Amino acid sequence: EAGVAQSPRYKIIEKRQSVAFWCNPISGHATLYWYQQILGQGPKLLIQFQNNGVVDDSQLPKDRFSAERLKGVDSTLKIQPAKLEDSAVYLCASSFFGRTGNTGELFFGEGSRLTVL
Amino acid sequence: AQTVTQSQPEMSVQEAETVTLSCTYDTSESDYYLFWYKQPPSRQMILVIRQEAYKQQNATENRFSVNFQKAAKSFSLKISDSQLGDAAMYFCAYRSDWGYQKVTFGTGTKLQVIP
């Protein structure tokens, strides 16, 4: 079974530039998460999708971050314009939704490391 | 809103010894999941162990076991016979079993294994 795919693995940009990250979840997983992980800290949820609808984006800085999940499969997270404090690893995760046969586990991709200069 | 607290930013253990990582959480829900995830340096986050709140029996996975105290809202991870490969960040996580099943992570504990 293929895992969660993310790209690019690494990205270096200047502040005020834009960047986009892509995530393809495990097939059949209805729930997709984007987390921001600053060095030495725990993952912070940016946005959670249920199929192609947003169920939680309360911590997404909407003036500069946007995300979409067209057709309920893969997803793109965009930052425009980037700030120095956006330097972090952006983790994508997916999981089943519902209670029947659901172990509750999140499956993570390898992450996309962003450096803003 | 649920919160997860890991009060030990760093821990160290001698190889082959046992170490316990602490986690407490706050919730008003009765059904939920608790997890411990491991994140080696620059590597992927992977699941170590899982506990369903409705189960009284503590989960065990080989050298990893948990002490789940539902009333105290405590969920500690015990690693027995520690190995060099256990060195990593360990995150405690809470997943609601209701609504859209939000997942909240703690701040992590960095575990060092001393040869």
Side-chain angles (χ1 to χ4, degrees), chain B residues 6 13 50 59 80 88 90 97 100:
Chain B
Q6 293 179 250
V13 62
R50 167 182 57 243
S80 304
Y90 286 82
D97 200 28
Y100 59 85

Side-chain angles (χ1 to χ4, degrees), chain B residues 5-43:
Chain B
T5 301
Q6 293 179 250
S7 59
Q8 307 154 315
E10 295 189 27
M11 292 282 285
S12 61
V13 62
Q14 291 286 142
E15 196 175 3
E17 296 296 310
T18 296
V19 65
T20 299
L21 308 184
S22 301
C23 173
T24 59
Y25 58 95
D26 187 27
T27 185
S28 58
E29 299 175 342
S30 58
D31 294 327
Y32 49 88
Y33 297 92
L34 294 165
F35 306 92
W36 280 98
Y37 283 90
K38 171 184 178 181
Q39 189 177 42
S42 300
R43 293 184 64 186

Side-chain angles (χ1 to χ4, degrees), chain A residues 13-21 36 38 44 46 57 59-67 76-88 90 114 116:
Chain A
I13 62 174
E14 300 282 336
K15 60 182 179 183
R16 291 188 289 274
Q17 287 186 326
S18 63
V19 62
F21 302 111
Q36 180 191 58
I38 294 173
K44 169 189 158 185
L46 291 176
D57 62 357
Q59 298 192 87
L60 186 74
K62 298 180 184 63
D63 57 334
R64 298 182 301 104
F65 286 65
S66 65
T76 302
L77 175 71
K78 296 179 181 177
I79 308 174
Q80 181 180 13
K83 292 185 175 181
L84 296 177
E85 57 261 37
D86 298 332
S87 293
Y90 291 86
L114 173 66
V116 182

Side-chain angles (χ1 to χ4, degrees), chain B residues 83-102:
Chain B
Q83 301 175 359
L84 295 178
D86 295 333
M89 284 290 290
Y90 286 82
F91 293 98
C92 178
Y94 172 103
R95 176 174 177 155
S96 173
D97 200 28
W98 298 98
Y100 59 85
Q101 300 174 333
K102 181 176 180 177

Side-chain angles (χ1 to χ4, degrees), chain A residues 9 33 35 37 40-43 45 48 50 55-56 91 95-99 102-106 108-110 113, chain B residues 31 33 35 37 39 42-47 50 52 89 91 95 97-108:
Chain A
R9 289 290 314 279
Y33 310 77
Y35 286 90
Q37 186 178 23
Q41 299 183 16
L45 180 69
Q48 180 178 343
Q50 200 63 42
V55 295
D56 189 345
L91 299 170
S95 71
F96 285 108
F97 178 76
R99 307 185 77 183
N102 187 353
T103 62
E105 178 183 354
L106 266 63
F108 284 86
E110 294 183 304
R113 183 178 298 276
Chain B
D31 294 327
Y33 297 92
F35 306 92
Y37 283 90
Q39 189 177 42
S42 300
R43 293 184 64 186
Q44 197 168 3
M45 184 102 70
I46 58 172
L47 180 70
R50 167 182 57 243
E52 291 93 333
M89 284 290 290
F91 293 98
R95 176 174 177 155
D97 200 28
W98 298 98
Y100 59 85
Q101 300 174 333
K102 181 176 180 177
V103 180
T104 304
F105 285 82
T107 51

